[in-house]
Amino acid sequence: RACHIQGIKLMTTHLFVYACLTIGLFTALVGGVFQAFSDFVMAGIIRAAPAGGIDSMQQINRTVFRSAFLAITLALAPIMLAASLYAWQSLEGSPKILILIGTAIYMTAVLGVTMFGNVPMNKHLDGLTPSSPDAAIYWKKFGTVWTGWNHVRTFGAIIAAICFLLAATGLPDTLAAMT
């Protein structure tokens, strides 16, 4: 019976390697979208006339609610939390630590910054009339500050992805040591 239970645990842990790879790849995808915004999307929108840039950003922010990107970004949170719980209870060594660190970074640098940095700025921008003088003044601040927060999200997602990918590559050695 103990061998059967250990076999189930070992099988589950082997599947967990693929789960960590999947989490890492999807997290890297999220980081890539953020990077695109930091690298050229925001730069292009900010160069537009304020009314055009504001209208474009308002439309992007309204469209993101119906996107696969938002679904993936949000779905990663409970998936990472479940992975962290499994790692906490079933793993040892660096894969366990990497999964816990990756989850913590994602929760704070990606979700936390999104909820408390970028989203409030987006909501304020959405309430402005693009051609108004107040909107033009806010737009100058918006572009710099929003993009700065987006850099944090970019690096957070990339670092979290690296943590999960490194955990996945280290799991076979950890499994061998645990058996």
Side-chain angles (χ1 to χ4, degrees), residues 14-43:
H14 280 291
L15 292 174
F16 192 62
V17 171
Y18 296 109
C20 286
L21 287 171
T22 303
I23 292 167
L25 292 174
F26 275 101
T27 305
L29 175 68
V30 168
V33 172
F34 289 148
Q35 174 57 30
F37 266 82
S38 285
D39 192 30
F40 57 86
V41 174
M42 287 305 292

Side-chain angles (χ1 to χ4, degrees), residues 2-85:
C3 185
H4 177 69
I5 292 172
Q6 185 179 7
I8 291 173
K9 183 176 180 180
L10 190 60
M11 171 82 164
T12 304
T13 308
H14 280 291
L15 292 174
F16 192 62
V17 171
Y18 296 109
C20 286
L21 287 171
T22 303
I23 292 167
L25 292 174
F26 275 101
T27 305
L29 175 68
V30 168
V33 172
F34 289 148
Q35 174 57 30
F37 266 82
S38 285
D39 192 30
F40 57 86
V41 174
M42 287 305 292
I45 292 174
I46 291 168
R47 286 187 182 123
I54 292 167
D55 184 52
S56 295
M57 193 66 183
Q58 288 174 334
Q59 297 309 315
I60 289 169
N61 289 332
R62 291 171 188 155
T63 304
V64 76
F65 288 109
R66 296 178 303 277
S67 69
F69 171 74
L70 183 63
I72 292 167
T73 302
L74 296 176
L76 281 168
I79 293 168
M80 285 183 178
L81 289 171
S84 290
L85 180 63

Side-chain angles (χ1 to χ4, degrees), residues 9 13 84-92 96 174-175 178:
K9 183 176 180 180
T13 308
S84 290
L85 180 63
Y86 179 82
W88 182 262
Q89 294 177 342
S90 303
L91 298 178
E92 299 170 359
K96 175 181 181 175
T174 300
L175 295 176
M178 290 172 61

